Amino acid sequence: MKNKSVPGYKRVFAWMIAVFAMVIPWISYLRIWKLTDAQADVFENYNGYVFDFFLYYREVLLVVMAVVLLAVMIGENIFPDHVITQTPVRDRQNRKIWICFSVYTAAVLLSFLFSKNKGLALSGSPSEGEGIFVLIGYGILFFGAMNYFCYEETLRIFEKAMLVLCVVTIALTAVEFFYEPVLKLPFIKNLIAPSKYAQLIDNMNTDNYKSYVSLTFYNPNYFGGFCLLLLPYAFKKLLVSEKRWKTAGYILLVCGLLFSVTAAKSTASFYLAFAELIFLCAMEGRGLAGQIKKLLALILVAVVIFVLCNAASGGKLMSIGKNAITNESTANAQKTENASDKENAADTQGASDAQTKSSGTAGIFRLKDIRLEGNELTLKGENETLITVCNDGTLEFYDKAGEPLEVINDGNRITFSDSRFAAVSVTYSQNTVYYDLGYDEPADFYLQDDIFYGIGQNGALSESVTLNKRFGEALYPLFTGRGYAWVNTLPLLTHTVIIGRGAGNFAMYFPQNDYVGLLNTHGTHTTVIDKPHNAYLQTAVNTGIVGLCAVLAVFLIGIGRFVRFMRGSKPANMDSVKLADATACWTFCAAAAFAVYSVANDSIVTVAPLFFIILGVQFAALYAKEYEM
């Protein structure tokens, strides 16, 4: 479609989407709100309040953007005297996409109407920020990008936005990697929160990732996923660049983004980043031979930058890179029990640490089951069973045969002379009994009138601390403990075939307070599984399997169209490739990599908007190619 066919208002809204894409990743401002009693039992909080810097105001901006786009797209197809019919949203071949979007929207709304936690479904989970309006807004962003970036001129506008995002991301990564977290810079602190809440910024979640880069993306895994969306653009532009100065610039962009992915220490993103480069090289076909000089220059510059950055950081980059590739430092942290290692650990570290201890190399009473039966607490291990009975506030200990155990009480803790329980020590303080079994943290129980209770989030007492039925334990350690969440999410799907539990409601239905499973996979039972660490399971639980199938159908349509596009393309010198061809290649690569990344990560409002925009641009580029821009 030629430039002359682009109405001025389409350029305006293309710029609006482009600016939105450039701005939303960085929106950060403090919001404090009170959880309901039910929510406080599940989500992390401070005396029932949640402090959020990253989610709420992005939700607001996204919903406003979606409303404007929807109004404009409806208006341009109803009110003008002359409706422009040659656009993707009116094309007959896209009716299947509209049907998918309608089915998904219906699934989201029905899940909300039948949800027991409608307030949570409206606002979204405090850990992902995806309420019903955000979920529907993603679809509108997709259609807006498809509708307004189907022209050469507007595609170039989108490329400018991607270039800005790449440069800003690399610059901020360098600041956070070599200096300190961006959000803790003095002038940034004054922008994102009133001065009286400055201490909250100092103690925000980024402290958990001090060795890694997370910027404004809630944690390093999400930042790594964001980099996956940018890297294909920079690399494809390198391959199609004709001028030397542009080639040099794009080489620096690619190297900078690889540095950013490494600094995030996200294993999935690290491997997928290189998979993206290999895929785009494969797309060159016979034209790859003409790119050898560029690729050699890229490798040389990447090595030089890596060596210099590693030297400047005192070996920090090499350490993080090694961690991203092998998770070696994660495993070693538990063996050494180094406190500073634990302080710098990412949120997935506890899983690998627990697995290391559970192997039996570090003295552990590995649990198989826990039973609370009145004044009797039974800890069943792999080989032995420890029974505790409380009578009038006095603890008595027995083995599985009912024989009393001799204890050594030094006034602070109780240990056992029996070698079968050498890994166990007990502390009793203020009605709470702590069992140190060798995990990262002890298993604690509350005593009330000689009755044992488990202790859940926010101090809630529980009469059960393990699952009645357990399966797939061998899968629990997969992907640093994500297997535990995946396996125990599957039973929930039997109730969400057509109607889900409601947006953001996953944590309310996942079986929490599972001492045995959590201790064996995460090293602590205080971990709350507030998300499944899998965007597809997340969608299936929150909006229903039918809604998930509608989303997957759109992905499959995109794959099918790209395959047809590749079959119809003739091998050519990539220096002369058209804009639509190049855009179709890199957007498909970015969307596909992110779809794979989502198998091990949740959807979240900090990253997902750019993904749906890029997915829409992919459909727009394929449409533009079909009609020859």
Side-chain angles (χ1 to χ4, degrees):
M1 302 174 73
K2 304 297 182 182
N3 282 340
K4 63 182 181 181
S5 66
V6 185
Y9 76 90
K10 285 185 177 285
R11 290 194 293 271
V12 170
F13 288 106
W15 268 112
M16 186 174 70
I17 298 173
V19 171
F20 171 83
M22 287 187 283
V23 170
I24 194 168
W26 319 114
I27 297 294
S28 301
Y29 195 78
L30 174 64
R31 177 178 180 250
I32 304 173
W33 78 97
K34 186 173 180 59
L35 295 170
T36 65
D37 291 340
Q39 293 169 6
D41 287 341
V42 175
F43 296 105
E44 295 290 343
N45 63 87
Y46 301 88
N47 297 320
Y49 288 87
V50 169
F51 302 89
D52 165 53
F53 288 89
F54 307 109
L55 305 178
Y56 177 74
Y57 290 101
R58 297 186 200 192
E59 290 183 67
V60 172
L61 179 60
L62 188 150
V63 171
V64 170
M65 183 68 185
V67 169
V68 172
L69 281 177
L70 182 61
V72 171
M73 286 189 288
I74 292 174
E76 72 171 330
N77 286 280
I78 294 178
F79 299 113
D81 295 331
H82 176 67
V83 176
I84 301 174
T85 58
Q86 194 172 315
T87 60
V89 295
R90 295 183 65 90
D91 195 284
R92 295 183 63 181
Q93 69 174 341
N94 287 328
R95 288 181 179 177
K96 293 179 180 178
I97 300 177
W98 279 109
I99 293 173
C100 291
F101 177 66
S102 299
V103 170
Y104 175 71
T105 301
V108 172
L109 293 175
L110 284 173
S111 298
F112 165 72
L113 291 175
F114 287 91
S115 174
K116 294 180 180 179
N117 304 286
K118 290 184 173 59
L120 193 59
L122 278 173
S123 63
S125 162
S127 59
E128 62 195 32
E130 293 187 335
I132 60 170
F133 298 119
V134 169
L135 295 180
I136 296 172
Y138 289 155
I140 296 172
L141 280 181
F142 164 80
F143 282 110
M146 183 171 67
N147 191 48
Y148 296 115
F149 292 117
C150 61
Y151 307 92
E152 180 177 353
E153 183 177 345
T154 55
L155 268 182
R156 295 196 183 282
I157 291 173
F158 184 67
E159 284 198 334
K160 290 182 174 66
M162 293 301 295
L163 177 61
V164 171
L165 276 176
C166 290
V167 173
V168 172
T169 299
I170 294 168
L172 293 180
T173 298
V175 171
E176 188 151 310
F177 184 81
F178 291 108
Y179 185 50
E180 69 174 335
V182 170
L183 294 181
K184 296 186 178 182
L185 296 173
F187 74 97
I188 296 294
K189 289 171 66 173
N190 293 332
L191 291 177
I192 66 175
S195 57
K196 64 180 179 179
Y197 293 114
Q199 189 63 35
L200 287 177
I201 302 176
D202 294 331
N203 296 325
M204 71 170 58
N205 287 343
T206 50
D207 278 347
N208 295 327
Y209 319 113
K210 288 170 66 174
S211 293
Y212 318 126
V213 172
S214 56
L215 298 184
T216 59
F217 291 90
Y218 200 73
N219 80 27
N221 284 322
Y222 299 131
F223 175 56
F226 179 76
C227 293
L228 284 181
L229 294 172
L230 304 181
L231 181 60
Y233 159 77
F235 189 63
K236 190 63 180 181
K237 292 298 290 183
L238 167 63
L239 295 178
V240 302
S241 62
E242 298 177 348
K243 298 180 179 179
R244 289 186 177 180
W245 66 270
K246 285 187 176 182
T247 298
Y250 288 120
I251 284 176
L252 292 177
L253 278 187
V254 173
C255 292
L257 290 171
L258 289 175
F259 163 71
S260 299
V261 169
T262 303
K265 210 255 27 163
S266 172
T267 300
S269 300
F270 184 85
Y271 282 110
L272 284 170
F274 286 95
E276 288 179 327
L277 302 184
I278 294 171
F279 174 83
L280 289 174
C281 284
M283 290 297 97
E284 296 291 294
R286 292 196 294 252
L288 185 62
Q291 307 291 340
I292 297 300
K293 290 184 178 179
K294 290 180 182 179
L295 296 176
L296 291 176
L298 173 63
I299 294 172
L300 177 62
V301 174
V303 170
V304 171
I305 289 177
F306 180 88
V307 170
L308 292 177
C309 289
N310 188 59
S313 63
K316 177 180 172 182
L317 185 60
M318 175 69 78
S319 176
I320 293 177
K322 191 175 182 181
N323 194 329
I325 295 172
T326 66
N327 276 329
E328 179 178 343
S329 62
T330 299
N332 287 339
Q334 184 64 49
K335 294 177 182 178
T336 60
E337 296 189 4
N338 185 299
S340 63
D341 286 345
K342 292 181 181 179
E343 181 183 12
N344 295 336
D347 64 339
T348 59
Q349 180 144 334
S352 290
D353 294 350
Q355 294 156 27
T356 300
K357 273 195 169 184
S358 299
S359 66
T361 59
I364 183 173
F365 187 84
R366 191 172 191 276
L367 291 169
K368 297 297 290 183
D369 194 16
I370 299 178
R371 293 297 168 192
L372 302 177
E373 298 171 312
N375 70 332
E376 186 173 301
L377 166 65
T378 302
L379 301 178
K380 183 179 180 181
E382 289 184 315
N383 301 310
E384 299 296 335
T385 297
L386 176 64
I387 301 172
T388 306
V389 177
C390 183
N391 288 314
D392 296 326
T394 301
L395 300 180
E396 301 170 357
F397 302 91
Y398 302 87
D399 64 11
K400 61 184 176 182
E403 295 295 325
L405 295 174
E406 182 180 347
V407 301
I408 303 171
N409 192 339
D410 63 5
N412 295 316
R413 66 172 185 159
I414 298 170
T415 56
F416 302 91
S417 57
D418 193 322
S419 61
R420 294 175 297 169
F421 304 98
V424 181
S425 65
V426 182
T427 304
Y428 185 19
S429 175
Q430 297 181 342
N431 287 25
T432 304
V433 186
Y434 302 88
Y435 289 80
D436 186 347
L437 306 173
Y439 294 102
D440 288 350
E441 295 183 9
D444 52 351
F445 302 87
Y446 191 78
L447 271 173
Q448 182 174 294
D449 299 327
D450 287 350
I451 306 299
F452 283 98
Y453 296 93
I455 303 175
Q457 179 70 5
N458 205 35
L461 300 183
S462 174
E463 296 180 355
S464 175
V465 293
T466 189
L467 302 180
N468 292 326
K469 295 182 180 180
R470 192 182 297 279
F471 70 99
E473 289 183 76
L475 303 176
Y476 282 9
L478 287 178
F479 298 97
T480 56
R482 283 171 168 80
Y484 172 78
W486 298 347
V487 169
N488 289 294
T489 296
L490 293 178
L492 304 181
L493 302 185
T494 59
H495 303 285
T496 62
V497 176
I498 298 176
I499 298 174
R501 295 299 191 179
N505 272 260
F506 171 85
M508 308 300 290
Y509 292 91
F510 188 87
Q512 308 288 355
N513 300 325
D514 174 21
Y515 278 38
V516 175
L518 290 171
L519 283 165
N520 286 328
T521 54
H522 294 278
T524 171
H525 68 82
T526 60
T527 297
V528 175
I529 308 299
D530 57 1
K531 41 196 172 185
H533 296 290
N534 179 300
Y536 305 105
L537 289 176
Q538 176 186 13
T539 302
V541 171
N542 290 346
T543 63
I545 294 176
V546 171
L548 171 64
C549 290
V551 174
L552 294 177
V554 175
F555 292 174
L556 292 175
I557 291 171
I559 293 172
R561 291 187 183 179
F562 183 75
V563 170
R564 289 197 298 272
F565 158 71
M566 291 306 301
R567 287 177 177 174
S569 299
K570 297 178 181 179
N573 185 323
M574 294 307 293
D575 286 344
S576 62
V577 74
K578 293 183 178 179
L579 178 60
D581 293 29
T583 303
C585 283
W586 80 255
T587 52
F588 174 82
C589 178
F594 193 82
V596 175
Y597 155 92
S598 297
V599 171
N601 291 278
D602 311 274
S603 176
I604 190 170
V605 74
T606 58
V607 185
L610 183 61
F611 165 70
F612 283 100
I613 290 174
I614 287 177
L615 187 65
V617 172
Q618 180 208 337
F619 279 82
L622 292 173
Y623 178 86
K625 171 63 179 174
E626 182 176 343
Y627 286 93
E628 290 299 331
M629 290 195 312

